[in-house]
Amino acid sequence: MFRRTCKLLVPLIVALLAPAVASGAPVSASEGTTTALQQAVNGHWRSAANRARDQYRHPVETLQFFGIRPDMTVVELAPGGGWYTEILAPFLYAHGHLIEAAPATAAKFSAKLKADPAVYGHIGKFVPFAPPYQVNLGADNSADMVLTFRNTHDWLNHSPATLDSVFQAAFHVLKPGGVFGVTEHRARPFADAVDSAKALHRLPEDYLIALALKTGFRVAGVSEINANPNDPEDINVHRLPPDLAGPDSEHAKMKAIGESDRMTLRFVKP
């Protein structure tokens, strides 16, 4: 009961702090945009393992909620293995620009892109990105959207100042009206952010909302698209699928829970 009540409090607090907050409903997308997103998600270049995670990551619904369009300039932060890059690159191929902000040492990611130029060969450019040492994402007011998927806890694990610098970099590179889309493993409401990030790789939703407001963003939407009510939010996310990093004896229990409960937040630069 406590957990449910606290989750209901977060949107209320947002409404009190930021009167311009939207209802949290997904941004409406044209039929053409929806079709193009679905075609990218269905792409033959995506592995069976990556497709299997769609049920937890909801890529079409998530990108629609952020308000993506095929003519945007989009910056993807810390793409990791490129799970979302597989969708963003073909979606933005004809009319948009995809900018990858990744460390120069991301050899596996670079090899993935070079191996399939038909899908990835048109990516606009790469920006060296290794917070807190390299955080400049490009010229001020030059991007329509900045996206980060399950990365914010890593930056906080370096230091609160490092996470602050990423939010500031996103704010500066975005045009007025530009969107900063964030998904993150969710901790229990009002948990200590530093402790939960280190121990569980999770952040409380209220912490990221407060940081966005402090940076200068408006909160334009809070969605439960990627929520998982089966997740008790007190488990290290790597013990859950797909990693199942805990002992074999708990794997069946972790599989029954599924992937982590995740917040999905849409911030807008005024």
Side-chain angles (χ1 to χ4, degrees), residues 106-154:
K108 186 175 180 180
F109 177 67
S110 298
K112 176 189 180 87
L113 304 190
K114 291 177 182 178
D116 199 344
V119 176
Y120 307 111
H122 60 282
I123 290 175
K125 65 178 178 178
F126 293 84
V127 174
F129 184 70
Y133 313 106
Q134 294 175 311
V135 292
N136 190 329
L137 298 173
D140 288 359
N141 307 311
S142 60
D144 299 296
M145 182 173 284
V146 176
L147 299 174
T148 177
F149 302 99
R150 303 165 312 281
N151 293 315
T152 53
H153 67 276
D154 290 322

Side-chain angles (χ1 to χ4, degrees), residues 41 46 48-62 83-84 149-150 183-186 223-231 240-244 251-264:
V41 168
R46 299 187 69 220
N50 281 358
R51 289 170 183 265
R53 303 190 73 183
D54 291 351
Q55 64 178 309
Y56 300 111
R57 294 189 170 186
H58 309 99
V60 172
E61 296 85 351
T62 298
W83 194 94
Y84 257 101
F149 302 99
R150 303 165 312 281
T183 67
E184 180 56 278
H185 307 289
R186 185 156 44 196
S223 175
E224 293 299 295
I225 293 170
N226 295 302
N228 178 2
N230 296 324
D231 178 9
L240 295 168
D243 293 349
L244 296 173
H251 287 184
K253 179 181 178 181
M254 297 298 110
K255 288 179 180 178
I257 293 173
E259 293 195 20
S260 66
D261 179 45
R262 292 160 189 165
M263 67 186 89
T264 306

Side-chain angles (χ1 to χ4, degrees), residues 2-3 6-7 10 187-191 204-206 233:
F2 174 78
R3 179 184 172 199
C6 285
K7 280 193 174 182
V10 171
R188 288 181 172 178
F190 312 113
E205 191 169 302
D206 53 280
E233 298 177 340

Side-chain angles (χ1 to χ4, degrees), residues 165-185:
S165 72
V166 173
F167 271 59
Q168 291 166 13
F171 188 87
H172 288 308
V173 78
L174 284 168
K175 301 172 184 177
V179 173
F180 185 26
V182 178
T183 67
E184 180 56 278
H185 307 289

